[in-house]
Amino acid sequence: MPIVPSQLEQLRQYTTVVADTGDIEAIARWRPVDATTNPSLLLKVITQSSYASLLEESLAWARAKSHSREQQLIDASDQLAVAVGRKILELVPGRVSTEVDARLSFDTDASIAKAERLIGMYEDAGIKRDRVLIKLASTWEGVCAARELERRGIQCNMTLLFAFEQAVASAEAGVFLISPFVGRIMDWYVANTGVKQYAPDEDPGVQSVRRIYRYYKTHGYGTVVMGASFRNVGQIQALAGCDRLTISPDLLQELDASEDALPRRLSDDGTRTERPPAIDEARFRWGMNEDAMASDKLAEGIRKFAADQRQLEKLLAERL
């Protein structure tokens, strides 16, 4: 009998699958093209035995670089992020995304400096910059930082993206990739409306990504759309054909266990129209102000990533 491909294998025929995890065993099992990390994932992985040597390496490196406790924490945190990224790159053929400290989300110059430092650390370790994406929160300041970094040959992944204005500004800045957060958009609508369940095609997170995808293709933007933050496989299935999807190990498992047909839902039909006038800061900020969901989720996401970064630093401080 012919082997029936799983939904995961079907998805891989028209979408690049990215692992939304820093777990080495999960990455080795699911063989994604790329992988992405953030402070929350780093916080989880440093307690795993497979990362013990990387943790010790990062602490030793920080001690040798400075006698300042404050600087040692910064150095250990940056080195750990890069060390985990290097480990992931041993397993994936593509890229790893490494995140700029969320506490710099409203400081363009500091975000640029941190990104250049992280890329420099990768390059010092023999990793070329074309294998790393720098993750930045999709604030106006983050978009401005990304525009300059892209000019300097450092490609970016715009995260915590919820509003259409964030997507438009990112594309106009020439960023390599955006990560619209499907599940977190749905979470907000479930919490703030009378609707507690959505069919995939009516899911507001799915609809947001579809709108962005169509806009990018129609207007000829090269920025990659990578759906992220999924809550169920229905959301993934509804976005089959999106440029990339970053998926957690449990949902990869669910897709791999199903042999049902998975039709392509998104594709570029080649239609092109003239781009509208560029978005400026005032229009960006007004659009965010008018979108309660996007404003709430962006602020919440920055707070949570910042809290996880502080917790990570607390754990590192205990070891220094």
Side-chain angles (χ1 to χ4, degrees):
M1 294 179 63
I3 298 175
V4 179
S6 70
Q7 286 199 338
L8 180 58
E9 291 306 314
Q10 293 175 66
L11 181 65
R12 283 178 166 146
Q13 293 173 16
Y14 31 72
T15 290
T16 298
V17 174
V18 178
D20 192 10
T21 180
D23 187 306
I24 292 297
E25 293 181 3
I27 292 170
R29 177 180 180 186
W30 296 113
R31 301 174 290 105
V33 173
D34 297 337
T36 181
T37 65
N38 59 45
S40 306
L41 295 174
L42 286 177
L43 193 55
K44 291 178 183 177
V45 302
I46 65 168
T47 60
Q48 299 174 7
S49 59
S50 55
Y51 285 98
S53 62
L54 299 185
L55 177 58
E56 292 306 319
E57 168 196 319
S58 301
L59 293 167
W61 187 86
R63 293 188 198 104
K65 290 286 288 184
S66 171
H67 295 296
S68 163
R69 180 95 170 163
E70 182 179 356
Q71 187 61 45
Q72 285 179 348
L73 272 179
I74 295 170
D75 290 343
S77 178
D78 288 348
Q79 180 65 16
L80 180 63
V82 171
V84 170
R86 289 187 348 243
K87 184 72 172 177
I88 289 171
L89 287 172
E90 294 175 5
L91 299 172
V92 301
R95 301 169 181 253
V96 67
S97 290
T98 297
E99 191 145 348
V100 165
D101 190 332
R103 293 169 294 187
L104 305 179
S105 296
F106 302 102
D107 190 327
T108 296
D109 291 341
S111 293
I112 292 170
K114 177 66 79 174
E116 290 195 310
R117 181 174 205 244
L118 292 169
I119 288 293
M121 293 169 73
Y122 272 109
E123 291 181 330
D124 289 344
I127 304 295
K128 293 182 179 180
R129 63 178 58 191
D130 63 4
R131 296 205 67 199
V132 182
L133 293 177
I134 292 296
K135 288 177 78 174
L136 296 158
S138 298
T139 58
W140 179 256
E141 293 80 4
V143 170
C144 291
R147 178 183 288 109
E148 180 58 31
L149 289 168
E150 294 280 353
R151 288 176 182 155
R152 299 182 189 186
I154 298 172
Q155 294 187 309
C156 300
N157 171 354
M158 302 308 294
T159 189
L160 295 175
L161 194 147
F162 305 98
F164 186 67
E165 287 79 9
Q166 292 173 296
V168 173
S170 295
E172 291 176 352
V175 303
F176 179 79
L177 181 148
I178 64 166
S179 299
F181 276 28
V182 177
R184 295 197 197 186
I185 292 174
M186 184 198 72
D187 292 345
W188 188 91
Y189 281 93
V190 168
N192 291 277
T193 70
V195 181
K196 298 306 177 185
Q197 266 191 318
Y198 289 91
D201 287 336
E202 280 72 51
D203 187 301
V206 169
Q207 292 179 342
S208 175
V209 175
R210 287 179 174 176
R211 180 187 182 193
I212 293 166
Y213 179 90
R214 287 193 299 268
Y215 185 87
Y216 278 16
K217 304 311 177 191
T218 299
H219 295 297
Y221 290 107
T223 298
V224 174
V225 181
M226 182 173 77
S229 172
F230 293 106
R231 298 293 181 255
N232 55 68
V233 293
Q235 293 172 329
I236 297 168
Q237 293 160 346
L239 292 174
C242 191
D243 299 330
R244 303 186 187 194
L245 298 174
T246 180
I247 306 171
S248 62
D250 58 329
L251 294 179
L252 289 171
Q253 170 70 53
E254 196 169 340
L255 288 166
D256 193 52
S258 173
E259 295 179 348
D260 293 341
L262 180 59
R264 183 168 190 160
R265 303 298 303 277
L266 294 179
S267 61
D268 179 5
D269 65 7
T271 301
R272 298 289 182 268
T273 61
E274 185 178 352
R275 294 179 183 178
I279 190 170
D280 60 11
E281 181 178 356
R283 183 178 150 207
F284 177 94
R285 294 195 185 281
W286 182 253
M288 292 296 295
N289 182 74
E290 290 295 279
D291 190 333
M293 176 277 297
S295 298
D296 289 353
K297 298 308 288 186
L298 175 62
E300 177 188 70
I302 290 172
R303 285 195 300 270
K304 286 185 174 180
F305 279 162
D308 284 341
Q309 181 65 33
R310 287 191 290 269
Q311 180 63 21
L312 178 64
E313 291 172 357
K314 179 181 178 183
L315 294 176
L316 291 172
E318 293 171 356
R319 303 289 296 273
L320 281 168

